[in-house]
Amino acid sequence: MEVVNRYCQGGQPAEDCWDLAKHEGFHGVVRIEFRESAPAQEWASFLEEFRRATRDRGPGGGVVCLLLEGKGTEVRGPKPEVGLEVLNWEGVSTILDMRCYAAGLVRRPHGTSALEHELRVETIAQLALGDPLLAERLSRCSLDTLKSPCRVLIEYGEEAGWGVAAVATWVRGMEQRVDDRQVTHSSWLAMQRREHELSRRIWRAQATVILPWLEECRAELLEAVRPALPMPWEYERRDGLRRWIEEAEQMELKDLLDFLSTQTTPRLNEARKAVRQLVDWRNRLSHFSNEGAFASGWVPLSGLETEVAAAVAACRQWAKPKALVAGRNREIGLSLSTVERSGGELRQAG
């Protein structure tokens, strides 16, 4: 009856485990507390009866996870069998566990880029941490909702009955242990108006997904302009300092932007604009900031991949003729040097 009173929301009342097994409002994670009024053996009997009641569910019939908590008590749980797996809870989950779980919950909609899909999965994982029920709730949210998740998080906390709680406790689900560190539930942070900590979790998701992608963009842009790069290259930055680059691989996104800015051709205008955006996002993501794009907790990605692809193509088309001219100039220089050494006469051909 304690499980029924705490976890069965609405629907027909459940009188026993057989009713409980068919109850639509009973699912997800149940935290069981051992008390004097409910000894450990009574919980063991409950588990065994519930196992018999759910024997005919079959695969996909629903999962109930029972977390047993107690000091100095041993509960003899049900025996493992087909459709039932007994796991020993050690009090620790990992963010990798939640990434895998979130990836299975979220389907990539048609027309959505792989980058946006990966960012959505990572954001759900960083917000849910060790709570699979919250991950399920967030998986039904759009990207626009995930960028400002406070409303959804507060609703989740209110349904859990955390509105009148004075402190966060593990037994009520407000505190969790993830990757060997104690963390506070995202819903509790939202209810306590601790948006700064929520923004940090969203930033962590952004940095995990977008920073490696920015590095890939840098590599593609570098290969596109490499034929036209004068190596080694020395230039004066906007702050007045001079920068010396011996090898092209040393160039960062900002260096690529400065190099493109020295070229006056209008064909590179859109490329310069795209690279400038990449530089701005790189600066914002390199260190956590709760300003600018992070005031809403999100870095806009719509059209970003298309703009970068167009920038790479424009740079490649511009750099190729430059490479041909540079190669022809080198050939002419070698020819002049050969003629000069041989004492011969250079004549204009045709």
Side-chain angles (χ1 to χ4, degrees), residues 79-105:
K79 298 179 180 179
E81 60 180 33
V82 177
L84 177 65
E85 183 178 5
V86 177
L87 301 176
N88 294 322
W89 174 247
E90 299 177 353
V92 177
S93 61
T94 68
I95 191 64
L96 180 59
D97 296 329
M98 188 53 67
R99 285 193 189 110
C100 295
Y101 187 65
L105 292 173

mmCIF file of all heavy atoms in Angstrom, residues 79-105:
data_model
loop_
_atom_site.group_PDB
_atom_site.id
_atom_site.type_symbol
_atom_site.label_atom_id
_atom_site.label_comp_id
_atom_site.label_asym_id
_atom_site.label_seq_id
_atom_site.Cartn_x
_atom_site.Cartn_y
_atom_site.Cartn_z
ATOM 1 N N LYS A 79 14.347 -14.489 -7.960
ATOM 2 C CA LYS A 79 15.384 -15.163 -8.733
ATOM 3 C C LYS A 79 15.368 -14.679 -10.183
ATOM 4 O O LYS A 79 14.293 -14.496 -10.753
ATOM 5 C CB LYS A 79 15.170 -16.676 -8.686
ATOM 6 C CG LYS A 79 15.258 -17.262 -7.278
ATOM 7 C CD LYS A 79 15.009 -18.758 -7.321
ATOM 8 C CE LYS A 79 15.089 -19.337 -5.916
ATOM 9 N NZ LYS A 79 14.826 -20.808 -5.924
ATOM 10 N N PRO A 80 16.539 -14.494 -10.778
ATOM 11 C CA PRO A 80 16.580 -14.081 -12.186
ATOM 12 C C PRO A 80 15.953 -15.147 -13.078
ATOM 13 O O PRO A 80 16.110 -16.347 -12.853
ATOM 14 C CB PRO A 80 18.085 -13.945 -12.466
ATOM 15 C CG PRO A 80 18.716 -13.767 -11.128
ATOM 16 C CD PRO A 80 17.876 -14.573 -10.174
ATOM 17 N N GLU A 81 15.228 -14.699 -14.078
ATOM 18 C CA GLU A 81 14.637 -15.604 -15.039
ATOM 19 C C GLU A 81 14.384 -14.830 -16.324
ATOM 20 O O GLU A 81 14.760 -13.659 -16.437
ATOM 21 C CB GLU A 81 13.327 -16.181 -14.503
ATOM 22 C CG GLU A 81 12.277 -15.116 -14.194
ATOM 23 C CD GLU A 81 11.004 -15.744 -13.658
ATOM 24 O OE1 GLU A 81 11.067 -16.762 -12.967
ATOM 25 O OE2 GLU A 81 9.933 -15.197 -13.968
ATOM 26 N N VAL A 82 13.782 -15.452 -17.309
ATOM 27 C CA VAL A 82 13.502 -14.793 -18.569
ATOM 28 C C VAL A 82 12.582 -13.594 -18.331
ATOM 29 O O VAL A 82 11.526 -13.729 -17.723
ATOM 30 C CB VAL A 82 12.849 -15.771 -19.573
ATOM 31 C CG1 VAL A 82 12.502 -15.037 -20.862
ATOM 32 C CG2 VAL A 82 13.784 -16.938 -19.858
ATOM 33 N N GLY A 83 12.983 -12.451 -18.803
ATOM 34 C CA GLY A 83 12.176 -11.254 -18.635
ATOM 35 C C GLY A 83 12.405 -10.528 -17.322
ATOM 36 O O GLY A 83 11.803 -9.501 -17.077
ATOM 37 N N LEU A 84 13.293 -11.053 -16.469
ATOM 38 C CA LEU A 84 13.560 -10.415 -15.185
ATOM 39 C C LEU A 84 15.056 -10.488 -14.903
ATOM 40 O O LEU A 84 15.664 -11.554 -14.949
ATOM 41 C CB LEU A 84 12.790 -11.102 -14.060
ATOM 42 C CG LEU A 84 13.056 -10.556 -12.649
ATOM 43 C CD1 LEU A 84 12.557 -9.128 -12.544
ATOM 44 C CD2 LEU A 84 12.381 -11.442 -11.612
ATOM 45 N N GLU A 85 15.658 -9.346 -14.619
ATOM 46 C CA GLU A 85 17.079 -9.293 -14.317
ATOM 47 C C GLU A 85 17.266 -8.578 -12.990
ATOM 48 O O GLU A 85 16.718 -7.501 -12.770
ATOM 49 C CB GLU A 85 17.846 -8.548 -15.411
ATOM 50 C CG GLU A 85 19.346 -8.526 -15.199
ATOM 51 C CD GLU A 85 20.081 -7.812 -16.324
ATOM 52 O OE1 GLU A 85 19.382 -7.257 -17.197
ATOM 53 O OE2 GLU A 85 21.311 -7.794 -16.310
ATOM 54 N N VAL A 86 18.029 -9.181 -12.109
ATOM 55 C CA VAL A 86 18.297 -8.604 -10.801
ATOM 56 C C VAL A 86 19.684 -7.979 -10.828
ATOM 57 O O VAL A 86 20.687 -8.641 -11.109
ATOM 58 C CB VAL A 86 18.228 -9.670 -9.694
ATOM 59 C CG1 VAL A 86 18.591 -9.054 -8.342
ATOM 60 C CG2 VAL A 86 16.839 -10.283 -9.640
ATOM 61 N N LEU A 87 19.749 -6.675 -10.568
ATOM 62 C CA LEU A 87 21.015 -5.949 -10.549
ATOM 63 C C LEU A 87 21.272 -5.423 -9.143
ATOM 64 O O LEU A 87 20.352 -4.952 -8.477
ATOM 65 C CB LEU A 87 20.981 -4.773 -11.533
ATOM 66 C CG LEU A 87 20.729 -5.121 -13.002
ATOM 67 C CD1 LEU A 87 20.626 -3.837 -13.828
ATOM 68 C CD2 LEU A 87 21.833 -6.004 -13.545
ATOM 69 N N ASN A 88 22.501 -5.492 -8.709
ATOM 70 C CA ASN A 88 22.878 -4.947 -7.410
ATOM 71 C C ASN A 88 23.238 -3.477 -7.579
ATOM 72 O O ASN A 88 24.190 -3.137 -8.277
ATOM 73 C CB ASN A 88 24.064 -5.720 -6.834
ATOM 74 C CG ASN A 88 23.701 -7.152 -6.500
ATOM 75 O OD1 ASN A 88 22.587 -7.410 -6.029
ATOM 76 N ND2 ASN A 88 24.612 -8.067 -6.731
ATOM 77 N N TRP A 89 22.464 -2.615 -6.957
ATOM 78 C CA TRP A 89 22.693 -1.171 -7.071
ATOM 79 C C TRP A 89 23.842 -0.769 -6.161
ATOM 80 O O TRP A 89 23.810 -0.998 -4.961
ATOM 81 C CB TRP A 89 21.417 -0.423 -6.678
ATOM 82 C CG TRP A 89 21.583 1.053 -6.629
ATOM 83 C CD1 TRP A 89 21.532 1.853 -5.533
ATOM 84 C CD2 TRP A 89 21.813 1.926 -7.733
ATOM 85 N NE1 TRP A 89 21.718 3.154 -5.874
ATOM 86 C CE2 TRP A 89 21.896 3.227 -7.221
ATOM 87 C CE3 TRP A 89 21.965 1.723 -9.101
ATOM 88 C CZ2 TRP A 89 22.114 4.332 -8.038
ATOM 89 C CZ3 TRP A 89 22.176 2.827 -9.913
ATOM 90 C CH2 TRP A 89 22.248 4.103 -9.380
ATOM 91 N N GLU A 90 24.869 -0.152 -6.729
ATOM 92 C CA GLU A 90 26.030 0.273 -5.970
ATOM 93 C C GLU A 90 26.025 1.767 -5.686
ATOM 94 O O GLU A 90 27.006 2.313 -5.198
ATOM 95 C CB GLU A 90 27.305 -0.106 -6.729
ATOM 96 C CG GLU A 90 27.440 -1.609 -6.935
ATOM 97 C CD GLU A 90 28.667 -1.967 -7.753
ATOM 98 O OE1 GLU A 90 29.316 -1.026 -8.257
ATOM 99 O OE2 GLU A 90 28.977 -3.160 -7.868
ATOM 100 N N GLY A 91 24.938 2.438 -6.025
ATOM 101 C CA GLY A 91 24.834 3.850 -5.704
ATOM 102 C C GLY A 91 25.549 4.765 -6.657
ATOM 103 O O GLY A 91 25.706 5.949 -6.385
ATOM 104 N N VAL A 92 26.027 4.274 -7.794
ATOM 105 C CA VAL A 92 26.804 5.088 -8.728
ATOM 106 C C VAL A 92 26.339 4.811 -10.149
ATOM 107 O O VAL A 92 26.177 3.660 -10.552
ATOM 108 C CB VAL A 92 28.316 4.773 -8.620
ATOM 109 C CG1 VAL A 92 29.099 5.579 -9.653
ATOM 110 C CG2 VAL A 92 28.830 5.082 -7.225
ATOM 111 N N SER A 93 26.075 5.854 -10.893
ATOM 112 C CA SER A 93 25.845 5.725 -12.333
ATOM 113 C C SER A 93 26.820 6.656 -13.033
ATOM 114 O O SER A 93 27.504 7.453 -12.400
ATOM 115 C CB SER A 93 24.398 6.104 -12.688
ATOM 116 O OG SER A 93 24.139 7.451 -12.326
ATOM 117 N N THR A 94 26.909 6.559 -14.350
ATOM 118 C CA THR A 94 27.844 7.384 -15.103
ATOM 119 C C THR A 94 27.092 8.163 -16.166
ATOM 120 O O THR A 94 25.996 7.786 -16.578
ATOM 121 C CB THR A 94 28.929 6.525 -15.777
ATOM 122 O OG1 THR A 94 28.329 5.718 -16.805
ATOM 123 C CG2 THR A 94 29.604 5.605 -14.755
ATOM 124 N N ILE A 95 27.703 9.244 -16.617
ATOM 125 C CA ILE A 95 27.095 10.035 -17.666
ATOM 126 C C ILE A 95 27.045 9.232 -18.959
ATOM 127 O O ILE A 95 26.160 9.437 -19.797
ATOM 128 C CB ILE A 95 27.873 11.357 -17.860
ATOM 129 C CG1 ILE A 95 27.090 12.326 -18.756
ATOM 130 C CG2 ILE A 95 29.249 11.092 -18.426
ATOM 131 C CD1 ILE A 95 25.787 12.780 -18.174
ATOM 132 N N LEU A 96 27.973 8.275 -19.127
ATOM 133 C CA LEU A 96 27.936 7.414 -20.307
ATOM 134 C C LEU A 96 26.688 6.548 -20.310
ATOM 135 O O LEU A 96 26.081 6.322 -21.366
ATOM 136 C CB LEU A 96 29.198 6.543 -20.368
ATOM 137 C CG LEU A 96 29.303 5.587 -21.562
ATOM 138 C CD1 LEU A 96 29.254 6.362 -22.877
ATOM 139 C CD2 LEU A 96 30.574 4.761 -21.476
ATOM 140 N N ASP A 97 26.281 6.061 -19.136
ATOM 141 C CA ASP A 97 25.030 5.298 -19.041
ATOM 142 C C ASP A 97 23.858 6.128 -19.557
ATOM 143 O O ASP A 97 23.022 5.652 -20.330
ATOM 144 C CB ASP A 97 24.756 4.892 -17.585
ATOM 145 C CG ASP A 97 25.809 3.946 -17.056
ATOM 146 O OD1 ASP A 97 26.358 3.176 -17.857
ATOM 147 O OD2 ASP A 97 26.072 3.985 -15.844
ATOM 148 N N MET A 98 23.797 7.391 -19.131
ATOM 149 C CA MET A 98 22.678 8.239 -19.526
ATOM 150 C C MET A 98 22.755 8.629 -21.000
ATOM 151 O O MET A 98 21.729 8.770 -21.658
ATOM 152 C CB MET A 98 22.634 9.486 -18.647
ATOM 153 C CG MET A 98 21.390 10.328 -18.854
ATOM 154 S SD MET A 98 19.844 9.377 -18.707
ATOM 155 C CE MET A 98 19.874 8.953 -16.969
ATOM 156 N N ARG A 99 23.963 8.798 -21.537
ATOM 157 C CA ARG A 99 24.093 9.082 -22.978
ATOM 158 C C ARG A 99 23.506 7.939 -23.799
ATOM 159 O O ARG A 99 22.763 8.165 -24.754
ATOM 160 C CB ARG A 99 25.563 9.276 -23.356
ATOM 161 C CG ARG A 99 26.165 10.607 -22.936
ATOM 162 C CD ARG A 99 27.488 10.831 -23.627
ATOM 163 N NE ARG A 99 28.162 11.992 -23.083
ATOM 164 C CZ ARG A 99 29.253 11.947 -22.335
ATOM 165 N NH1 ARG A 99 29.795 10.775 -22.023
ATOM 166 N NH2 ARG A 99 29.819 13.051 -21.893
ATOM 167 N N CYS A 100 23.858 6.730 -23.420
ATOM 168 C CA CYS A 100 23.356 5.562 -24.161
ATOM 169 C C CYS A 100 21.841 5.464 -24.038
ATOM 170 O O CYS A 100 21.146 5.159 -25.016
ATOM 171 C CB CYS A 100 24.029 4.289 -23.650
ATOM 172 S SG CYS A 100 25.813 4.215 -23.946
ATOM 173 N N TYR A 101 21.332 5.731 -22.837
ATOM 174 C CA TYR A 101 19.886 5.644 -22.626
ATOM 175 C C TYR A 101 19.162 6.729 -23.414
ATOM 176 O O TYR A 101 18.138 6.471 -24.050
ATOM 177 C CB TYR A 101 19.577 5.762 -21.135
ATOM 178 C CG TYR A 101 18.122 5.512 -20.801
ATOM 179 C CD1 TYR A 101 17.554 4.260 -21.002
ATOM 180 C CD2 TYR A 101 17.330 6.526 -20.292
ATOM 181 C CE1 TYR A 101 16.226 4.022 -20.702
ATOM 182 C CE2 TYR A 101 15.993 6.303 -19.986
ATOM 183 C CZ TYR A 101 15.449 5.046 -20.197
ATOM 184 O OH TYR A 101 14.138 4.817 -19.910
ATOM 185 N N ALA A 102 19.693 7.964 -23.373
ATOM 186 C CA ALA A 102 19.068 9.073 -24.103
ATOM 187 C C ALA A 102 19.113 8.841 -25.599
ATOM 188 O O ALA A 102 18.165 9.171 -26.319
ATOM 189 C CB ALA A 102 19.753 10.392 -23.744
ATOM 190 N N ALA A 103 20.208 8.265 -26.092
ATOM 191 C CA ALA A 103 20.310 7.989 -27.532
ATOM 192 C C ALA A 103 19.248 6.998 -27.984
ATOM 193 O O ALA A 103 18.758 7.070 -29.115
ATOM 194 C CB ALA A 103 21.702 7.456 -27.867
ATOM 195 N N GLY A 104 18.872 6.076 -27.090
ATOM 196 C CA GLY A 104 17.818 5.134 -27.435
ATOM 197 C C GLY A 104 16.429 5.747 -27.362
ATOM 198 O O GLY A 104 15.504 5.252 -28.004
ATOM 199 N N LEU A 105 16.283 6.823 -26.595
ATOM 200 C CA LEU A 105 14.974 7.467 -26.464
ATOM 201 C C LEU A 105 14.679 8.425 -27.611
ATOM 202 O O LEU A 105 13.527 8.577 -28.028
ATOM 203 C CB LEU A 105 14.906 8.245 -25.151
ATOM 204 C CG LEU A 105 14.914 7.439 -23.851
ATOM 205 C CD1 LEU A 105 15.013 8.382 -22.662
ATOM 206 C CD2 LEU A 105 13.665 6.576 -23.741
#
